[in-house]
Amino acid sequence: MQNKKNMTNIDVFVYALIIFLFTFLNELSAYKTTTIPCGVNRDCPSAEKGQFWWQCREKFCVKYYL
């Protein structure tokens, strides 16, 4: 009985770890830095159909995906 309980705890831990890792990896890939120079957000291109938006970050345009 105790062995079954430990196995359940390990399963829950692995599932939580997988969910956390996928969330973290998704956040890392949510934006892409381009080589378009900018000074303010208006210098970046405008988004089409709401699929992503542009923001000026560290003097380059960044494309954020939704």
Side-chain angles (χ1 to χ4, degrees):
M1 186 73 167
Q2 185 66 24
N3 192 17
K4 198 174 204 181
K5 193 173 190 178
N6 288 339
M7 195 68 158
T8 303
N9 288 340
I10 292 171
D11 288 346
V12 170
F13 174 74
V14 170
Y15 293 148
L17 188 62
I18 289 171
I19 290 170
F20 173 75
L21 286 177
F22 279 118
T23 303
F24 181 71
L25 291 175
N26 187 26
E27 288 298 320
L28 287 178
S29 66
Y31 68 92
K32 180 181 178 190
T33 305
T34 62
T35 57
I36 303 170
C38 63
V40 293
N41 287 341
R42 283 180 273 150
D43 295 340
C44 297
S46 61
E48 298 174 7
K49 299 181 184 175
Q51 297 172 354
F52 52 85
W53 77 93
W54 293 89
Q55 186 176 14
C56 186
R57 189 176 205 189
E58 298 178 8
K59 298 185 181 181
F60 289 102
C61 292
V62 177
K63 186 186 219 180
Y64 286 93
Y65 295 97
L66 299 176

